[in-house]
Amino acid sequence: MVEAYYPGRSPLQGVQLELFSEDDLRAIHYASMEVFLNPGVQVSDAEARAIFKEAGCEVDEKTQIVKIPEYLVNRALIDAPSRFVLAGRDKKKDVAMEHKGKVHWVNFGTGVKMCNYVAPGKYETVDSVEQDIADSAKVVDYLEEISYFTLSVSARDWAGKGAQDVHETFTPIASTSKHFHHIDPVGENVEYYKGIVDAYYGGDSEAARKRPIFSMLLCPTSPLELSDNACQVIIKGARFGMPVNVLSMAMSGGSSPVFRAGTLVTHNAEVLAGIVLAQLVQPGAAVFYGSSTTTFDLKRGTAPVGAPELGLISAAVGKLGQYYGLPTYVAGT
C-alpha cells in the first residue's frame, strides 16, 4: 500500500486552514438542497432521468429538469463509502482513498501538446501522440511522490480514426504498475474499458470488481447539468464496480455566481447530483467528491487554473468532502 501524508499532525509540524465553520458548511448544504428543488438539475440522459424518477424525483421530460428531494441526497451520502482502494497492478502501489487525513498527489491532464527538446535553448510544440502517454506513464510509475496515474496527454495520432479513446485506456494500463484514473472517458466506450480490465484478470469480472485497477473522472456541465456522457459514465461505472470521480469545473463569474459562496453552492449541487445517481444505480458505489472549479477571468475570457481563487475553492471543497464523509479530489495550483 502506498504511504500517504497526514497534514497537520505534529510529526509534519503542519498548520491548519479552516475556511468554514460547521454552520457555514451546513448553510452551503441547505442552499444546495434548495437548488435541487428550484430550479433543479438538467439531466440530458433519458436512462438517468428514468432512474431518478423511479427513486421518487420529480422529472419534467420536456425540459429534462430533475428535482431531487433531500432524503435521497442523505441516503446517497449514507451509502457512499468513506474509504475505498484504488488498486494498482502492483499491490504494493495500491492507494487507499479516505475522506479525511490522507493526502495523495497525481499528475495533471489531459494535455494535447508536447514541448519537445530540439537543441540547447530550443524547443518545439507538437501534438501529443500515444507514445507520449506511455512515456509519461512510465515516468509517473517511477516517481514515488505520485500515487497513481491520470491520463496526461491525448493520443492525437489516433484522432478521427475511431479508436482514440480505447488506445488512451489500454496504453496507460499497460505502461504503469500503478492505478490508472481516466480523466477523459467516453460513456459509450465504458464497456470497452471493462473488457480491457476484465482481460487483465483473465476474464474474471468479479476479480476486476474487487480490485479496480481503473477508475474514471467525469464533469457535470456548469451550470447544473448532467450531460448524456456524464450520466453514462456514472451509470456504467457504478454497475461495473469502477470508482467514479464526479468533478465540477464551474467558473466563478462565468458558469456560476461571481461570489465564491454562490459558486460553492452551484458546484456542490452538481457534484451531489452525480453522486446521488451513482448510489441509485448501485448503493455503495465508490465515488470521489471532485473539483477543478476556479474563477473566470472576465478581462481575458479564460479559466485560470493558477489563480489564488482556485486554491481557496479547492480548500473549501476539501472541507465539504470531509463534511459529507467522501474522499475528495481537488485541483492544485
Side-chain angles (χ1 to χ4, degrees):
M1 186 75 70
V2 171
E3 292 295 324
Y5 296 87
Y6 288 85
R9 286 179 61 179
S10 57
L12 292 178
Q13 297 181 338
V15 296
Q16 189 172 26
L17 175 64
E18 291 288 353
L19 295 176
F20 297 103
S21 66
E22 285 292 312
D23 288 339
D24 293 330
L25 296 171
R26 194 175 298 112
I28 292 172
H29 170 77
Y30 285 141
S32 302
M33 297 307 99
E34 292 181 18
V35 168
F36 277 147
L37 297 180
N38 183 26
V41 179
Q42 181 178 341
V43 179
S44 300
D45 181 73
E47 182 181 6
R49 290 197 302 275
I51 293 170
F52 277 119
K53 187 173 183 178
E54 184 178 357
C57 297
E58 180 183 332
V59 178
D60 187 324
E61 289 294 339
K62 184 177 181 180
T63 63
Q64 301 182 346
I65 294 297
V66 173
K67 297 186 177 182
I68 307 173
E70 185 179 2
Y71 76 87
L72 283 183
V73 179
N74 292 337
R75 182 191 302 168
L77 292 172
I78 291 172
D79 289 337
S82 62
R83 183 186 187 277
F84 54 85
V85 174
L86 301 178
R89 290 199 293 124
D90 180 348
K91 289 185 178 181
K92 294 179 181 179
K93 297 179 181 179
D94 287 0
V95 178
M97 299 302 301
E98 298 180 2
H99 87 282
K100 191 173 184 179
K102 288 187 175 181
V103 174
H104 299 281
W105 282 267
V106 297
N107 60 290
F108 190 76
T110 300
V112 296
K113 297 285 185 180
M114 290 292 294
C115 186
N116 293 335
Y117 173 83
V118 177
K122 186 178 180 181
Y123 301 85
E124 63 176 0
T125 302
V126 298
D127 285 347
S128 56
V129 297
E130 184 175 11
Q131 187 60 47
D132 294 320
I133 299 175
D135 292 343
S136 58
K138 292 172 183 176
V139 170
V140 167
D141 199 67
Y142 172 78
L143 297 173
E144 294 182 358
E145 295 82 1
I146 301 180
S147 295
Y148 54 96
F149 179 64
T150 65
L151 185 63
S152 52
V153 292
S154 178
R156 299 295 297 158
D157 48 338
W158 281 98
K161 298 179 181 179
Q164 178 179 351
D165 188 52
V166 177
H167 283 266
E168 290 175 352
T169 303
F170 174 78
T171 299
I173 291 176
S175 302
T176 181
S177 59
K178 296 181 178 180
H179 182 87
F180 172 48
H181 189 52
H182 197 331
I183 63 175
D184 198 19
V186 177
E188 64 185 22
N189 287 345
V190 176
E191 286 83 0
Y192 289 105
Y193 309 156
K194 180 179 184 297
I196 292 171
V197 175
D198 285 354
Y200 171 77
Y201 283 102
D204 189 342
S205 296
E206 189 59 30
R209 182 181 291 272
K210 289 180 179 178
R211 282 188 52 79
I213 62 171
F214 173 86
S215 57
M216 299 181 289
L217 180 156
L218 72 301
C219 297
T221 304
S222 299
L224 301 173
E225 181 196 2
L226 291 179
S227 67
D228 288 288
N229 187 74
C231 289
Q232 285 301 305
V233 170
I234 293 170
I235 291 170
K236 294 176 181 179
R239 285 176 180 162
F240 297 155
M242 300 172 177
V244 172
N245 185 353
V246 185
L247 181 144
S248 174
M249 298 181 72
M251 290 186 295
S252 182
S255 58
S256 65
V258 69
F259 296 106
R260 304 292 173 261
T263 286
L264 287 172
V265 170
T266 300
H267 170 108
N268 194 43
E270 292 172 356
V271 174
L272 288 179
I275 289 172
V276 170
L277 177 58
Q279 301 309 312
L280 291 177
V281 172
Q282 181 60 55
V287 290
F288 296 79
Y289 186 108
S291 173
S292 190
T293 292
T294 186
T295 190
F296 180 59
D297 190 321
L298 298 171
K299 184 175 181 179
R300 296 177 175 83
T302 61
V305 295
E309 289 88 348
L310 182 141
L312 289 172
I313 291 169
S314 291
V317 168
K319 292 299 294 183
L320 281 168
Q322 292 177 1
Y323 178 76
Y324 291 127
L326 296 171
T328 307
Y329 180 110
V330 301
T333 54

